[in-house]
Amino acid sequence: MNIYIAGLSYGTNDADLNDLFSEYGEISSARVIMDRESGRSRGFGFVEMPDDKEGQKAIDELNGVEYDGKVISVTVAKPRTERSGGGGFNRNRGGGGYNNSRRY
């Protein structure tokens, strides 16, 4: 089971996530997602647990709990979807930005 954890403190690392979830069973992997540019945590991560029953128990017991000073959200991770277009920024959109006075 792949588990998504949101609302993590920026000080939380992979080992912390592993420790938190290992109380509920075997961990295949635990990783906090880092920003490529700054190298800082993005505030969320993923834990993989081979046993779905143990994973569900971890979700049930950890969702909404305070961890490292922040309330975390713990859910089943949704599968990644392919992004089309190659980038998240659309220059031609023209909507709602600071000083957006261009006329088309």
Side-chain angles (χ1 to χ4, degrees), residues 63-82:
N63 187 40
V65 167
E66 186 175 318
Y67 178 71
D68 199 20
K70 306 241 333 192
V71 175
I72 60 173
S73 172
V74 184
T75 58
V76 174
K78 295 182 175 98
R80 281 183 80 164
T81 56
E82 286 297 316

Side-chain angles (χ1 to χ4, degrees), residues 17-39:
L17 266 190
N18 192 68
D19 289 347
L20 178 63
F21 280 82
S22 64
E23 183 178 325
Y24 297 94
E26 182 186 343
I27 306 295
S28 302
S29 70
R31 63 186 159 81
V32 173
I33 304 305
M34 307 304 269
D35 184 273
R36 281 184 229 167
E37 311 258 325
S38 69

